[in-house]
Amino acid sequence: MFYGYTHFFIFAAAGAFSAGIEVEIDVLTGDSELHAPWSSFASSIPLAVFLLGVWAVAIRCNAERIVRTVLPWQGCWCSSTRCCPCRSVSSPWCSC
């Protein structure tokens, strides 16, 4: 089994994701000095860590080939597309 300390990253990422949602809410309501592109990393990075952690523990050895290939790419794409506020799901004010 591969579990080891990987569960720590999965649970920490789940907690950090909920904190990231709070950060994005503060930015959207104007209660934060942080700008939108930077605040989106507060939820996208933990989501990517969560996806990659679950993939490493549960999916990597048990799923079909396409799932084993697509899920890690999805985790990396999830954190990289938040760089541009126009591509971010949490930036509805962008008019690009």
Side-chain angles (χ1 to χ4, degrees), residues 4-24:
Y5 288 103
T6 310
H7 71 283
F8 173 76
F9 294 105
I10 294 172
F11 293 135
F17 178 74
S18 63
I21 295 296
E22 289 290 326
V23 169
E24 292 205 27

Side-chain angles (χ1 to χ4, degrees), residues 12-41:
F17 178 74
S18 63
I21 295 296
E22 289 290 326
V23 169
E24 292 205 27
I25 289 172
D26 286 343
V27 168
L28 290 174
T29 59
D31 294 335
S32 177
E33 298 283 328
L34 198 60
H35 298 292
W38 296 107
S39 69
S40 65
F41 285 119

